[in-house]
């Protein structure tokens, strides 16, 4: 290790050990300053609220009560069914999404129509879950004259119209919700699996065949064992954590009469405590928090690897891969058509006026564009869109700056310290906001006033920083030694070095920016818990319109279409950066 003066600034060069440890990193004083913003945000709005919730779960007015709140909460009527339904969501839905993602990624490779298929599957990923809920509620409307899926099910079962299957009834509502969630998440699984499949060298399959391997051996030894098994674990874990967002779907998609039959912990905790800290609600929150963090930690340990990861030498151009069989190409084409149907339903409904959309199905009358005319001439939607745009832009810029500052020094950690930091960031990334809503409101009451735009932005920033730091830290650590040294020696100050490093990691920076913007734009739960009369973003605005769903379906569909344009365009245009940034920096 040596210290030299470069342009009047002290640089510490670590040249000990393997070449990948030849790093240039900031001095101790600068490191503390760079980590301070992220530490304050995570400590004040994530760590302390988690500890406060845990304390509230075992105390009453400061008096220790032990497991009393847990016994009361778990013994409440319907809690057992809620917990079981949450477990079902966390196991069944990720399994279905993972299996479909792999099959469709393999089926859409090396074919002329594969790019179009993946593009269609990607669109639902960018939609707000509120819009997804609106779309599928339109499809599953209990009246066959309005609900396309209900009409098809009625004709397939041969039932009379008055005895139509109730797809949003007590017996089928959970299945209907799961179908909407799978539709929304499969595209992400396809992108990740497609990237993994492209990274598998074709020579592995040739080597297995040369030793007499069958098609089963080729699949296991040349694809699953080297890369796809780890990718499967990552996709499964991501979707399992994503099922915590079923709050949005349940609140928007289910009629109030069957909401209890569809409830999961995300909804039960909100119903129990809302934005306050109560004993029973805190106890349920701790149960859910332990399950979510425990599950993601198990997945992280399963896919663990050395840190920093060893550099991979540039591989030669891969040999051409044969296109998939006709049956797989038909599977991909069929999936693309099926994924288009809900989008067609939403857009077609939005083209009808309030009366037509409420009285009959979109296929029964010609479109007239009345709903769009009413929205364009009004001011409420445009005011909400403008506020959400400003909020998402400000939050994204702040998260990016804070994450870049923290990722710069953290990228040079090695060994157990780096692994522990990664696990802590991962745990902070998956903390459900419903669990800590009460303590977060207490913090906001000290530094701001609850229900303000500033408080809402602060909560979004604190929730977005952990994942952003994790992605950028991993991406910085993946940089070649030469690029790091050139950036450090070519910059007069540390911020010049950081800017050069960010340029080398453009994909990770774009991925963090787009994902954070879309997350804030599509949010419902944070806006509902921490927004106010003058700071109501898009998600709560759309959810509020679902109170009179049938009579308001035309305007609601038109609002949903307009609200979806920007996130869809961003995700589609940046899809290559998203995959590259997540694979190099986030899926670690």
């Amino acid at each position: 290790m040596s210290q030299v003066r470069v342009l009047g600034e002290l640089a510490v060069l670590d040249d000990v050990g393997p070449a990948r440890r030849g790093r240039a990193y900031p001095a101790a004083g600068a490191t503390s300053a760079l980590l301070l913003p992220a530490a304050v945000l995570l400590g004040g709005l994530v760590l302390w609220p988690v500890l406060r919730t845990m304390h509230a779960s075992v105390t009453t007015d400061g008096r220790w009560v032990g497991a009393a709140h847990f016994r009361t909460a778990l013994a409440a009527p319907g809690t057992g069914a809620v917990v079981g339904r949450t477990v079902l969501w966390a196991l069944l839905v990720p399994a279905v999404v993972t299996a479909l993602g792999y099959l469709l990624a393999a089926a859409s490779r090396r074919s002329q129509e594969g790019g179009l298929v993946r593009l269609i599957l990607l669109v639902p990923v960018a939609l707000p879950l509120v819009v997804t809920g609106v779309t599928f509620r339109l499809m599953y409307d209990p009246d066959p004259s309005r609900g396309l899926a209900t009409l098809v099910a009625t004709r397939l079962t041969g039932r009379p119209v008055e005895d139509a299957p109730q797809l949003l009834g007590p017996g089928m509502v959970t299945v209907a919700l799961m179908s909407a969630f799978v539709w929304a998440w499969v595209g992400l699984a396809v992108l990740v699996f497609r990237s993994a499949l492209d990274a598998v060298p074709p020579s592995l399959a040739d080597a297995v065949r040369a030793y007499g391997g069958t098609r089963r051996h080729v699949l296991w030894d040349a694809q699953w064992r080297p890369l796809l098994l780890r990718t499967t674990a990552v996709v499964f874990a991501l979707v399992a954590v994503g099922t915590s967002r079923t709050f949005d779907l349940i609140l928007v998609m289910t009629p109030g009469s069957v909401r209890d039959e569809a409830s999961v912990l995300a909804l039960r905790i909100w119903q129990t405590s809302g934005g306050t800290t109560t004993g029973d609600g805190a106890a349920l929150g701790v149960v859910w928090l332990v399950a979510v963090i425990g599950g993601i930690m198990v997945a992280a340990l399963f896919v663990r690897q050395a840190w920093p990861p060893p550099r991979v030498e540039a591989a030669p151009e891969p040999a051409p891969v044969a296109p998939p069989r006709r049956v797989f190409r038909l599977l991909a084409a069929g999936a693309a058509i099926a994924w288009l149907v809900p989008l067609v339903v939403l857009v077609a409904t939005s083209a009808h006026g309030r009366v037509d959309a409420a009285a009959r199905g979109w296929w029964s009358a010609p479109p007239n564009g009345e709903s769009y005319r009413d929205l364009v001439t009004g001011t409420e939607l445009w005011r909400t869109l403008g506020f959400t745009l400003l909020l998402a832009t400000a939050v994204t810029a702040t998260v990016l700056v804070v994450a870049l500052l923290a990722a710069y020094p953290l990228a040079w950690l090695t060994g157990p310290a780096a692994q522990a930091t990664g696990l802590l960031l991962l745990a902070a990334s998956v903390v459900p906001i419903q669990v800590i809503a009460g303590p977060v409101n207490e913090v906001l009451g000290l530094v701001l006033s609850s229900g303000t735009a500033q408080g809402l932005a602060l909560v979004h920033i604190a929730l977005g920083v952990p994942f952003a730091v994790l992605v950028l830290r991993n991406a910085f650590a993946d940089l070649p030694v030469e690029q790091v040294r050139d950036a450090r020696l070519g910059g007069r100050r540390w911020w010049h070095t950081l800017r050069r490093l960010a340029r080398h990691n453009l994909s990770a920076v774009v991925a963090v920016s787009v994902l954070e913007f879309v997350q804030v734009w599509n949010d419902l739960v944070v806006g509902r818990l921490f927004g106010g009369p003058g700071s109501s973003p898009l998600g709560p605005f759309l959810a509020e319109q679902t109170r009179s769903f049938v009579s308001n379906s035309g305007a609601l569909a038109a609002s949903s279409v307009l609200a979806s344009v920007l996130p869809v365009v961003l995700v589609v245009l940046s899809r290559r950066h998203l995959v590259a940034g997540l694979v190099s920096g986030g899926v670690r």
Side-chain angles (χ1 to χ4, degrees), residues 273-572:
S273 58
T276 61
T277 305
T278 62
D280 295 352
L284 282 179
V286 170
V287 171
W288 189 26
L289 181 65
V290 170
V292 170
I293 294 182
I296 200 67
M297 288 300 172
V298 170
L301 293 175
F302 181 75
V303 299
R304 67 188 183 275
Q305 64 182 42
W307 185 266
R311 297 301 308 169
V312 179
E313 299 297 331
E317 288 294 327
V321 178
R325 294 182 175 183
R326 180 179 295 274
V327 64
F328 291 109
R329 297 179 68 176
L330 291 175
L331 171 65
I337 294 173
W339 255 247
L340 273 176
V341 170
L343 297 175
V344 171
V345 169
L346 179 66
V347 174
T349 304
S350 71
H352 290 77
R354 187 182 300 268
V355 175
D356 284 345
R360 49 191 171 179
W362 51 268
W363 59 88
S364 302
N368 53 30
E370 180 184 329
S371 295
Y372 284 106
R373 285 195 297 270
D374 293 342
L375 289 174
V376 170
T377 56
T379 60
E380 190 174 8
L381 177 63
W382 296 116
R383 185 169 56 250
T384 303
L385 287 174
F387 173 78
T388 308
L389 178 62
L390 290 175
L391 176 68
T393 302
V395 169
T396 301
T398 306
V399 167
L400 185 61
V401 171
V402 173
L404 283 170
L405 295 178
Y408 177 36
L410 292 179
W412 318 135
L413 293 177
T414 59
Q419 297 287 1
T421 302
L423 291 177
L424 287 175
L425 289 170
L426 190 60
S429 302
V430 299
V431 172
I433 186 58
Q434 294 97 318
V435 173
I436 60 174
V440 169
N441 268 322
E442 294 175 7
V443 175
L444 293 179
L446 295 175
V447 297
L448 295 167
S449 57
S450 184
T452 63
Q454 295 87 345
L456 181 61
L458 196 60
V459 175
H460 274 299
I461 292 168
L463 296 177
V465 162
F467 182 73
V469 173
L470 185 65
V471 172
L472 293 173
R473 179 203 75 146
N474 294 348
F476 282 177
D478 276 352
L479 283 177
V481 177
E482 295 76 13
Q483 289 185 355
V484 176
R485 284 177 170 166
D486 290 344
R488 184 65 182 90
L489 299 177
R492 292 181 58 86
R493 295 291 186 269
W494 62 264
W495 52 86
H496 298 144
T497 303
L498 182 56
R499 185 174 60 186
R500 289 169 178 263
L501 292 174
R503 287 178 183 173
H504 293 312
N505 275 305
L506 182 61
S507 291
V509 172
V510 171
V512 166
S513 302
V514 172
L515 289 175
E516 183 60 30
F517 185 94
V518 171
Q519 170 67 25
V520 177
W521 182 275
N522 292 350
D523 167 73
L524 168 63
V525 62
V526 176
R528 196 176 185 97
L529 288 172
F530 303 101
S535 57
S536 180
L538 189 59
F541 171 80
L542 294 176
E544 190 66 24
Q545 295 188 48
T546 63
R547 292 181 179 273
S548 303
F549 191 89
V550 174
S551 61
N552 203 32
S553 56
L556 182 57
S559 300
S560 298
V561 171
L562 294 177
S564 303
V565 172
L566 183 56
V568 168
V569 170
L570 285 176
V571 170
V572 169

Side-chain angles (χ1 to χ4, degrees), residues 41-275:
L41 284 168
L42 296 183
L45 290 173
V46 178
L47 177 59
W48 187 87
V50 167
L51 297 176
R52 175 72 178 88
T53 299
M54 295 175 67
H55 179 264
S57 69
V58 293
T59 61
T60 299
D61 297 328
R63 179 174 52 85
W64 176 267
V65 296
H69 292 313
F70 290 90
R71 288 192 295 267
T72 303
L74 294 176
T79 300
V82 168
V83 173
R85 206 174 292 118
T86 304
V87 173
L88 183 65
W89 268 94
L91 295 178
L92 179 60
V93 172
V96 173
V97 171
T98 302
L100 278 177
Y102 171 72
L103 289 175
L104 295 176
S108 61
R109 290 182 75 206
R110 311 296 179 181
S111 61
Q112 293 180 349
E113 69 278 5
L116 179 60
V117 170
R118 290 190 297 274
L119 183 62
I120 293 172
L121 296 176
L122 179 63
V123 170
V125 175
L127 295 180
L129 272 182
V130 174
V131 173
T132 300
V134 169
T135 302
F136 276 78
R137 189 164 174 179
L138 290 170
M139 286 184 58
Y140 295 152
D141 191 295
D143 188 345
S145 66
R146 293 192 303 266
L148 179 62
T150 306
L151 175 63
V152 172
T154 301
R155 292 185 176 178
L156 289 177
T157 57
R159 296 185 181 185
V161 173
E162 58 272 10
D163 190 29
Q166 298 300 297
L167 301 179
L168 291 179
M172 291 292 294
V173 64
T174 297
V175 177
L177 289 165
M178 288 181 174
S179 68
F181 192 90
V182 169
W183 180 79
W185 276 74
V186 160
L188 178 63
V190 170
L191 287 181
V192 176
F193 273 115
R194 169 63 194 277
S195 178
L197 287 169
D198 290 345
V200 175
S203 58
L204 287 178
D206 296 337
V208 173
R209 294 190 190 97
Y211 281 92
T214 63
R215 184 181 297 274
R216 179 174 61 84
H217 294 116
V218 169
L219 178 64
W220 177 251
D221 293 321
Q223 290 188 355
W224 282 99
R225 286 180 62 186
L227 188 58
L228 293 184
L229 190 60
R230 174 178 291 172
T231 304
T232 298
V234 170
V235 172
F236 190 97
L238 286 174
V239 180
V241 171
T243 58
S244 64
R245 295 187 59 202
T246 50
F247 175 89
D248 299 30
L249 276 180
I250 295 173
L251 202 63
V252 172
M253 190 172 159
T254 58
S257 58
V258 298
R259 192 161 291 164
D260 288 341
E261 284 75 10
S263 180
V264 294
L265 279 174
L267 185 65
R268 176 60 68 92
I269 293 170
W270 175 71
Q271 291 173 330
T272 303
S273 58

